[in-house]
Amino acid sequence: AVFKPENVEDLYEIGEVLGSGHFGQVRQVRERASGKCWAGKFLKIRKNSCSRLGLDRSSVEQEVEILQAVQHPNIVILKDVFESRAEVVLILELVSGGELFDFIAQKDNLLESEAIEFMKQILQGLSFMHSKNIAHFDLKPENVMLSDNVSPHPNIKLIDFGLAHLFHQGEEYRSTSGTPQYIAPEVINNEPLSTAADILSGLSPFQGDTNEDTLKNVIAMNYEFHAQYFSTTSSMAKDFIQKLLVKNPNERMTAEECLLHPWIKPITRKQVANRNRSSINMKS
Ligand SMILES: Cc1ccnnc1
Protein backbone atom coordinates (compact mmCIF):
# COMPACT_ATOMS: atom_id res chain seq x y z
CA ALA A 1 0.00 0.00 0.00
CA VAL A 2 1.22 3.51 -0.79
CA PHE A 3 0.64 6.17 1.85
CA LYS A 4 0.58 9.91 1.17
CA PRO A 5 4.15 11.13 0.50
CA GLU A 6 3.33 14.71 1.55
CA ASN A 7 5.12 15.98 4.63
CA VAL A 8 2.58 15.61 7.45
CA GLU A 9 3.66 18.99 8.83
CA ASP A 10 2.47 20.74 5.68
CA LEU A 11 -1.11 19.73 6.54
CA TYR A 12 -1.01 19.36 10.33
CA GLU A 13 0.48 21.38 13.17
CA ILE A 14 2.10 18.89 15.56
CA GLY A 15 1.04 19.32 19.22
CA GLU A 16 1.56 17.71 22.64
CA VAL A 17 2.34 14.05 23.27
CA LEU A 18 -0.85 12.12 24.17
CA GLY A 19 0.69 8.71 24.72
CA SER A 20 3.51 6.42 23.72
CA GLY A 21 3.94 2.66 23.57
CA HIS A 22 5.59 -0.25 21.80
CA PHE A 23 4.89 1.45 18.48
CA GLY A 24 6.16 5.03 18.90
CA GLN A 25 4.29 8.17 19.96
CA VAL A 26 0.76 9.54 19.69
CA ARG A 27 0.61 13.36 19.50
CA GLN A 28 -2.31 15.73 19.24
CA VAL A 29 -2.27 17.30 15.76
CA ARG A 30 -4.30 20.19 14.34
CA GLU A 31 -5.46 20.08 10.71
CA ARG A 32 -4.38 23.44 9.22
CA ALA A 33 -7.22 23.58 6.67
CA SER A 34 -10.08 22.99 9.15
CA GLY A 35 -8.59 23.77 12.56
CA LYS A 36 -9.90 20.37 13.70
CA CYS A 37 -7.79 18.32 16.13
CA TRP A 38 -6.80 14.69 15.53
CA ALA A 39 -4.40 12.15 17.02
CA GLY A 40 -1.22 11.52 15.03
CA LYS A 41 0.33 8.10 15.67
CA PHE A 42 4.01 8.36 14.65
CA LEU A 43 5.43 4.92 13.81
CA LYS A 44 9.15 4.32 13.26
CA ILE A 45 9.72 2.01 10.30
CA ARG A 46 12.80 -0.19 10.33
CA LYS A 47 15.04 0.44 7.31
CA ASN A 48 15.96 -3.20 6.73
CA SER A 49 14.96 -6.47 8.36
CA CYS A 50 18.10 -6.76 10.47
CA SER A 51 17.73 -3.47 12.33
CA ARG A 52 15.99 -3.98 15.70
CA LEU A 53 14.46 -0.54 16.15
CA GLY A 54 11.15 0.35 14.58
CA LEU A 55 8.30 -1.67 13.10
CA ASP A 56 8.15 -3.77 9.97
CA ARG A 57 6.37 -1.84 7.24
CA SER A 58 4.20 -4.92 6.66
CA SER A 59 2.88 -4.81 10.24
CA VAL A 60 2.00 -1.13 9.77
CA GLU A 61 0.21 -1.98 6.50
CA GLN A 62 -1.72 -4.64 8.45
CA GLU A 63 -2.76 -2.14 11.14
CA VAL A 64 -3.91 0.32 8.45
CA GLU A 65 -5.81 -2.39 6.53
CA ILE A 66 -7.55 -3.50 9.74
CA LEU A 67 -8.45 0.05 10.85
CA GLN A 68 -9.92 0.73 7.39
CA ALA A 69 -12.03 -2.45 7.72
CA VAL A 70 -13.53 -1.64 11.13
CA GLN A 71 -15.46 1.64 10.90
CA HIS A 72 -17.73 1.60 13.98
CA PRO A 73 -18.90 4.17 16.57
CA ASN A 74 -16.98 2.33 19.30
CA ILE A 75 -13.72 1.94 17.36
CA VAL A 76 -11.27 4.76 16.69
CA ILE A 77 -11.55 6.03 13.09
CA LEU A 78 -8.50 6.25 10.79
CA LYS A 79 -8.64 9.41 8.64
CA ASP A 80 -5.32 9.49 6.76
CA VAL A 81 -1.86 7.91 6.48
CA PHE A 82 1.39 9.72 5.62
CA GLU A 83 4.84 8.26 5.00
CA SER A 84 8.27 9.90 5.03
CA ARG A 85 11.75 8.27 4.96
CA ALA A 86 11.55 6.12 8.08
CA GLU A 87 8.21 7.13 9.56
CA VAL A 88 4.54 6.39 8.93
CA VAL A 89 1.98 8.71 10.53
CA LEU A 90 -1.60 7.50 11.13
CA ILE A 91 -4.09 10.36 11.47
CA LEU A 92 -6.68 9.00 13.90
CA GLU A 93 -9.86 10.34 15.44
CA LEU A 94 -8.89 12.24 18.61
CA VAL A 95 -10.21 10.40 21.66
CA SER A 96 -9.95 12.87 24.51
CA GLY A 97 -11.97 11.39 27.37
CA GLY A 98 -9.04 9.48 28.85
CA GLU A 99 -8.91 5.79 29.73
CA LEU A 100 -12.06 4.06 30.99
CA PHE A 101 -9.82 2.66 33.74
CA ASP A 102 -9.13 6.11 35.22
CA PHE A 103 -12.77 7.19 34.90
CA ILE A 104 -13.88 4.16 36.91
CA ALA A 105 -10.97 4.23 39.40
CA GLN A 106 -12.00 7.68 40.66
CA LYS A 107 -15.45 6.39 41.66
CA ASP A 108 -16.13 4.76 45.03
CA ASN A 109 -18.93 2.64 43.69
CA LEU A 110 -19.75 1.93 40.09
CA LEU A 111 -23.46 1.27 39.59
CA GLU A 112 -24.05 -1.91 37.64
CA SER A 113 -26.21 0.09 35.26
CA GLU A 114 -23.12 2.24 34.47
CA ALA A 115 -20.87 -0.83 34.16
CA ILE A 116 -23.40 -2.45 31.84
CA GLU A 117 -23.51 0.63 29.59
CA PHE A 118 -19.72 0.56 29.20
CA MET A 119 -19.63 -3.23 28.78
CA LYS A 120 -22.36 -3.07 26.13
CA GLN A 121 -20.38 -0.56 24.04
CA ILE A 122 -17.15 -2.55 24.37
CA LEU A 123 -19.02 -5.68 23.28
CA GLN A 124 -20.65 -3.86 20.34
CA GLY A 125 -17.23 -2.78 19.09
CA LEU A 126 -15.81 -6.27 19.67
CA SER A 127 -18.68 -8.16 18.05
CA PHE A 128 -18.43 -5.87 15.00
CA MET A 129 -14.67 -6.54 14.75
CA HIS A 130 -15.13 -10.28 15.30
CA SER A 131 -17.89 -10.43 12.66
CA LYS A 132 -15.16 -9.37 10.20
CA ASN A 133 -12.78 -12.06 11.54
CA ILE A 134 -10.56 -9.45 13.16
CA ALA A 135 -9.17 -9.93 16.68
CA HIS A 136 -7.68 -7.03 18.66
CA PHE A 137 -5.22 -9.16 20.69
CA ASP A 138 -4.22 -6.33 22.99
CA LEU A 139 -7.51 -5.52 24.71
CA LYS A 140 -6.76 -4.06 28.12
CA PRO A 141 -8.03 -1.09 30.18
CA GLU A 142 -5.47 1.31 28.64
CA ASN A 143 -6.88 0.57 25.17
CA VAL A 144 -10.50 1.25 26.15
CA MET A 145 -10.93 5.03 26.05
CA LEU A 146 -13.79 7.51 26.45
CA SER A 147 -14.71 9.78 23.54
CA ASP A 148 -14.80 12.93 25.69
CA ASN A 149 -14.79 13.97 29.33
CA VAL A 150 -17.73 16.36 29.19
CA SER A 151 -20.89 14.45 28.25
CA PRO A 152 -22.66 12.53 31.08
CA HIS A 153 -22.65 9.38 28.96
CA PRO A 154 -19.35 9.31 27.07
CA ASN A 155 -18.85 6.82 24.25
CA ILE A 156 -16.38 3.96 24.46
CA LYS A 157 -13.63 3.94 21.82
CA LEU A 158 -11.33 0.93 21.31
CA ILE A 159 -7.82 2.02 20.28
CA ASP A 160 -4.39 0.57 19.35
CA PHE A 161 -4.76 -2.12 16.68
CA GLY A 162 -1.00 -2.64 16.50
CA LEU A 163 -1.32 -6.31 17.48
CA ALA A 164 -4.67 -6.91 15.73
CA HIS A 165 -5.00 -9.77 13.25
CA LEU A 166 -7.32 -10.48 10.30
CA PHE A 167 -8.02 -14.23 10.16
CA HIS A 168 -8.11 -15.64 6.63
CA GLN A 169 -10.35 -18.67 5.89
CA GLY A 170 -8.95 -21.81 7.52
CA GLU A 171 -5.70 -20.08 8.51
CA GLU A 172 -4.04 -20.98 11.80
CA TYR A 173 -2.53 -18.07 13.79
CA ARG A 174 -0.42 -18.19 16.94
CA SER A 175 1.19 -15.31 18.78
CA THR A 176 2.69 -14.86 22.19
CA SER A 177 2.59 -11.06 22.28
CA GLY A 178 0.14 -9.28 24.57
CA THR A 179 0.10 -8.11 28.19
CA PRO A 180 0.53 -10.86 30.83
CA GLN A 181 -2.22 -9.58 33.09
CA TYR A 182 -4.82 -9.64 30.31
CA ILE A 183 -3.69 -12.56 28.21
CA ALA A 184 -5.86 -15.60 27.40
CA PRO A 185 -4.59 -19.09 28.39
CA GLU A 186 -4.47 -20.25 24.75
CA VAL A 187 -2.03 -17.40 24.03
CA ILE A 188 0.26 -18.50 26.87
CA ASN A 189 0.09 -22.13 25.67
CA ASN A 190 0.93 -20.96 22.13
CA GLU A 191 -2.17 -22.70 20.80
CA PRO A 192 -3.98 -21.64 17.61
CA LEU A 193 -5.83 -18.42 18.38
CA SER A 194 -9.23 -17.00 17.54
CA THR A 195 -11.27 -13.90 18.32
CA ALA A 196 -12.23 -15.65 21.60
CA ALA A 197 -8.94 -14.46 23.05
CA ASP A 198 -10.32 -10.89 23.08
CA ILE A 199 -13.18 -11.91 25.34
CA LEU A 200 -11.03 -13.11 28.19
CA SER A 201 -8.45 -10.34 27.92
CA GLY A 202 -10.74 -7.56 29.13
CA LEU A 203 -11.00 -8.96 32.69
CA SER A 204 -8.13 -9.52 35.02
CA PRO A 205 -8.70 -11.22 38.36
CA PHE A 206 -5.42 -13.03 37.74
CA GLN A 207 -3.00 -10.33 38.91
CA GLY A 208 -0.07 -12.06 40.60
CA ASP A 209 3.02 -10.63 42.30
CA THR A 210 5.13 -11.33 39.24
CA ASN A 211 4.34 -11.88 35.57
CA GLU A 212 5.16 -15.55 36.11
CA ASP A 213 2.59 -15.81 38.94
CA THR A 214 0.03 -14.01 36.82
CA LEU A 215 0.55 -16.39 33.90
CA LYS A 216 0.21 -19.36 36.28
CA ASN A 217 -3.07 -17.92 37.59
CA VAL A 218 -4.35 -17.48 34.05
CA ILE A 219 -3.45 -21.06 33.10
CA ALA A 220 -5.04 -22.42 36.27
CA MET A 221 -8.07 -20.14 35.78
CA ASN A 222 -7.96 -19.67 39.52
CA TYR A 223 -9.97 -16.70 40.67
CA GLU A 224 -12.71 -16.21 43.20
CA PHE A 225 -15.30 -13.55 43.93
CA HIS A 226 -13.80 -12.02 47.07
CA ALA A 227 -16.63 -10.91 49.36
CA GLN A 228 -15.07 -7.49 50.00
CA TYR A 229 -15.48 -6.61 46.32
CA PHE A 230 -18.48 -8.70 45.24
CA SER A 231 -20.90 -8.69 48.20
CA THR A 232 -23.01 -6.00 46.49
CA THR A 233 -22.67 -7.44 42.99
CA SER A 234 -25.75 -9.07 41.47
CA SER A 235 -25.79 -12.79 40.82
CA MET A 236 -26.53 -11.92 37.17
CA ALA A 237 -23.20 -10.06 36.93
CA LYS A 238 -21.31 -12.94 38.58
CA ASP A 239 -22.97 -15.40 36.17
CA PHE A 240 -21.84 -13.19 33.25
CA ILE A 241 -18.24 -13.13 34.50
CA GLN A 242 -18.19 -16.90 35.13
CA LYS A 243 -19.25 -17.51 31.53
CA LEU A 244 -16.30 -15.43 30.31
CA LEU A 245 -13.53 -16.77 32.51
CA VAL A 246 -13.54 -20.15 30.76
CA LYS A 247 -10.26 -21.85 29.84
CA ASN A 248 -11.48 -23.55 26.70
CA PRO A 249 -11.93 -20.78 24.09
CA ASN A 250 -14.62 -22.82 22.32
CA GLU A 251 -16.78 -22.85 25.46
CA ARG A 252 -16.26 -19.15 26.29
CA MET A 253 -19.16 -16.81 25.45
CA THR A 254 -18.63 -14.88 22.21
CA ALA A 255 -19.18 -11.12 22.09
CA GLU A 256 -22.51 -11.77 20.34
CA GLU A 257 -23.59 -14.17 23.11
CA CYS A 258 -22.50 -11.66 25.76
CA LEU A 259 -24.84 -9.04 24.27
CA LEU A 260 -27.74 -11.49 24.70
CA HIS A 261 -26.86 -12.45 28.30
CA PRO A 262 -29.59 -11.31 30.73
CA TRP A 263 -27.11 -9.11 32.62
CA ILE A 264 -26.62 -7.02 29.47
CA LYS A 265 -30.06 -7.59 27.92
CA PRO A 266 -32.49 -8.24 30.81
CA ILE A 267 -35.61 -10.17 29.92
CA THR A 268 -37.78 -9.53 32.97
CA ARG A 269 -38.52 -6.36 34.92
CA LYS A 270 -37.31 -8.24 38.00
CA GLN A 271 -33.88 -8.69 36.42
CA VAL A 272 -33.76 -4.96 35.67
CA ALA A 273 -34.71 -4.06 39.24
CA ASN A 274 -32.16 -6.51 40.63
CA ARG A 275 -29.21 -5.02 38.77
CA ASN A 276 -30.20 -1.43 39.56
CA ARG A 277 -29.97 -2.31 43.25
CA SER A 278 -26.42 -3.54 42.77
CA SER A 279 -23.07 -1.86 42.48
CA ILE A 280 -19.46 -2.93 42.06
CA ASN A 281 -17.15 -1.90 44.88
CA MET A 282 -14.13 -0.09 43.43
CA LYS A 283 -12.23 0.51 46.65
CA SER A 284 -10.23 -2.33 48.21
C1 LIG B 1 -4.08 7.84 22.47
C2 LIG B 1 -5.05 8.10 21.35
C3 LIG B 1 -5.15 7.25 20.27
C4 LIG B 1 -6.05 7.52 19.28
N1 LIG B 1 -6.82 8.62 19.35
N2 LIG B 1 -6.73 9.45 20.40
C5 LIG B 1 -5.88 9.22 21.40
Side-chain angles (χ1 to χ4, degrees), residues 227-239:
Q228 76 262 38
Y229 300 115
F230 287 91
S231 59
T232 61
T233 305
S234 72
S235 53
M236 201 68 74
K238 289 178 199 166
D239 180 73

Side-chain angles (χ1 to χ4, degrees), residues 18-19 26 39 76 92-96 145 159:
L18 294 174
V26 179
V76 71
L92 296 156
E93 169 189 7
L94 179 61
V95 178
S96 52
M145 293 187 74
I159 66 163

Side-chain angles (χ1 to χ4, degrees), residues 118-138:
F118 287 134
M119 184 56 85
K120 199 185 291 183
Q121 291 189 45
I122 293 170
L123 289 166
Q124 282 163 343
L126 267 189
S127 66
F128 179 77
M129 206 193 297
H130 292 174
S131 71
K132 294 182 176 280
N133 292 323
I134 290 169
H136 186 282
F137 283 148
D138 196 17

Side-chain angles (χ1 to χ4, degrees), residues 21-251:
H22 55 86
F23 48 86
Q25 260 189 352
V26 179
R27 304 182 73 125
Q28 177 154 327
V29 298
R30 192 175 147 77
E31 190 177 12
R32 297 187 192 281
S34 67
K36 260 192 71 139
C37 285
W38 304 82
K41 189 170 175 182
F42 294 76
L43 303 168
K44 289 267 172 295
I45 304 302
R46 63 174 65 150
K47 284 314 292 168
N48 43 51
S49 55
C50 38
S51 79
R52 291 209 20 84
L53 285 177
L55 297 165
D56 256 3
R57 200 181 185 288
S58 61
S59 71
V60 174
E61 286 171 2
Q62 163 115 320
E63 181 174 355
V64 169
E65 180 189 331
I66 284 173
L67 278 166
Q68 288 169 335
V70 288
Q71 318 241 341
H72 184 274
N74 297 118
I75 296 175
V76 71
I77 296 289
L78 175 68
K79 169 189 164 49
D80 231 333
V81 187
F82 293 89
E83 177 170 21
S84 67
R85 277 173 329 292
E87 196 173 58
V88 170
V89 186
L90 309 185
I91 303 295
L92 296 156
E93 169 189 7
L94 179 61
V95 178
S96 52
E99 295 174 12
L100 173 62
F101 197 81
D102 298 325
F103 178 86
I104 291 176
Q106 71 199 8
K107 295 194 162 230
D108 277 346
N109 268 307
L110 184 71
L111 293 178
E112 281 197 17
S113 50
E114 292 172 312
I116 288 163
E117 188 43 41
F118 287 134
M119 184 56 85
K120 199 185 291 183
Q121 291 189 45
I122 293 170
L123 289 166
Q124 282 163 343
L126 267 189
S127 66
F128 179 77
M129 206 193 297
H130 292 174
S131 71
K132 294 182 176 280
N133 292 323
I134 290 169
H136 186 282
F137 283 148
D138 196 17
L139 205 58
K140 56 185 176 183
E142 299 93 298
N143 289 336
V144 180
M145 293 187 74
L146 296 177
S147 53
D148 58 68
N149 45 18
V150 288
S151 72
H153 300 289
N155 272 333
I156 288 283
K157 295 278 181 182
L158 303 180
I159 66 163
D160 195 351
F161 284 71
L163 296 180
H165 182 79
L166 167 65
F167 284 95
H168 299 98
Q169 194 50 34
E171 168 223 18
E172 201 171 275
Y173 177 73
R174 301 164 192 255
S175 158
T176 53
S177 50
T179 309
Q181 214 179 359
Y182 304 104
I183 217 160
E186 60 269 23
V187 176
I188 299 169
N189 293 328
N190 206 6
E191 288 156 6
L193 301 178
S194 72
T195 53
D198 281 344
I199 291 296
L200 193 62
S201 57
L203 300 143
S204 165
F206 304 110
Q207 175 65 46
D209 301 334
T210 65
N211 277 349
E212 191 188 342
D213 286 351
T214 304
L215 296 178
K216 278 190 192 127
N217 289 341
V218 173
I219 295 286
M221 278 285 122
N222 76 343
Y223 70 94
E224 55 210 273
F225 292 116
H226 295 290
Q228 76 262 38
Y229 300 115
F230 287 91
S231 59
T232 61
T233 305
S234 72
S235 53
M236 201 68 74
K238 289 178 199 166
D239 180 73
F240 180 81
I241 294 170
Q242 268 160 343
K243 289 186 170 125
L244 292 179
L245 297 181
V246 170
K247 189 172 167 72
N248 180 339
N250 302 314
E251 287 162 22

